[in-house]
Amino acid sequence: QTAAELIAIIRDAGITGLGGAGFPSAVKLQPQQAIDTLIINATECEPYITADDQLMRQRSADILIGIDILAHILGDPERVLIGIEDNKPEAQEALAKALADKSANRHGPVIDVVEFPTKYPSGGEKQLIQILTGKEVPSGKLPADLGIVCQNIGTTYAIYRAICHGEPLISRITTVTGKACNKPGNFEVLIGTPVAHL
């Protein structure tokens, strides 16, 4: 399918950034500038959250397909970086295994998994770009102005679900934890579920 057709599916599926900002993914995937770097943000946005960690451990192969879809939409950028904190060894191992399993059959871009120290707030888009590329996004500018698009790992998985399974954004992996919680853990939760139910 063409990039325009894929973007239409993503828009109609209601996919927004799952890293916290909630920006419409279809808009972010139509930059006016040429993109040479795609960054997949695999950091947790807040302490105690382990949803992205669990997602990578259990669905790495699907995430890689999502990355290939994103790269195709963006015109096959020269490099793809998955930025991951050093406190997620199981997730890194799962990604490495999925990459090794698919390397013989993949025709997409080379994907580099880049580990860096766990330090809040590394999950912020501009902070992560500086950590991985050394480039600073100027005030009032967007990452696309530097030839970079950044997508959250959960968003990447949601795009895979939309394109490959026709599934709109109806659920996400959610961390439920804290002293008020009897059974802490990560759960696939329908969007709109009251916290009291969780």
Side-chain angles (χ1 to χ4, degrees), residues 74-148:
L74 294 169
D76 296 316
E78 294 171 20
R79 60 180 178 165
V80 177
L81 307 174
I82 302 177
I84 187 168
E85 296 156 304
D86 61 5
N87 66 348
K88 297 177 175 57
E90 295 91 346
Q92 284 191 53
E93 187 178 326
L95 285 169
K97 183 180 184 309
L99 280 165
D101 290 346
K102 289 189 73 84
S103 62
N105 302 318
R106 280 186 78 249
H107 301 292
V110 174
I111 298 172
D112 290 319
V113 179
V114 183
E115 178 187 281
F116 57 90
T118 303
K119 185 178 178 184
Y120 184 83
S122 300
E125 181 175 76
K126 291 182 177 181
Q127 290 88 339
L128 183 62
I129 288 169
Q130 188 165 15
I131 289 167
L132 297 182
T133 69
K135 295 179 181 178
E136 187 171 346
V137 180
S139 178
K141 296 286 187 179
L142 295 171
D145 294 319
L146 302 179
I148 299 169

Side-chain angles (χ1 to χ4, degrees), residues 1-3 5-19 23-30 38-40 55 59 61-74 149-172:
Q1 292 176 299
T2 67
E5 289 169 336
L6 294 172
I7 287 170
I9 293 169
I10 290 166
R11 182 185 62 242
D12 292 345
I15 296 175
T16 60
L18 294 175
F23 192 78
S25 298
V27 175
K28 197 172 189 179
L29 291 171
Q30 297 182 80
L38 169 61
I39 292 176
I40 305 299
L55 182 63
R59 299 176 184 169
D62 297 338
I63 289 167
L64 294 183
I65 296 170
I67 291 172
D68 287 345
I69 292 167
L70 289 169
H72 174 65
I73 289 171
L74 294 169
V149 165
C150 194
Q151 287 285 350
N152 173 267
I153 202 93
T155 310
T156 304
Y157 178 71
I159 286 170
Y160 156 77
R161 294 294 307 176
I163 300 298
C164 297
H165 297 279
E167 181 180 294
L169 182 58
I170 57 172
S171 67
R172 68 163 298 157

Side-chain angles (χ1 to χ4, degrees), residues 41-46 49-54 56 85 88 123:
N41 187 343
T43 66
E44 305 289 0
C45 58
E46 295 291 338
I49 296 176
T50 55
D52 289 344
D53 189 0
Q54 283 297 318
M56 288 183 282
E85 296 156 304
K88 297 177 175 57

Side-chain angles (χ1 to χ4, degrees), residues 18 167-174 176 186-195 197-198:
L18 294 175
E167 181 180 294
L169 182 58
I170 57 172
S171 67
R172 68 163 298 157
I173 306 296
T174 302
V176 182
N186 287 289
F187 306 92
E188 185 156 7
V189 177
L190 290 172
I191 290 173
T193 301
V195 173
H197 290 9
L198 300 178

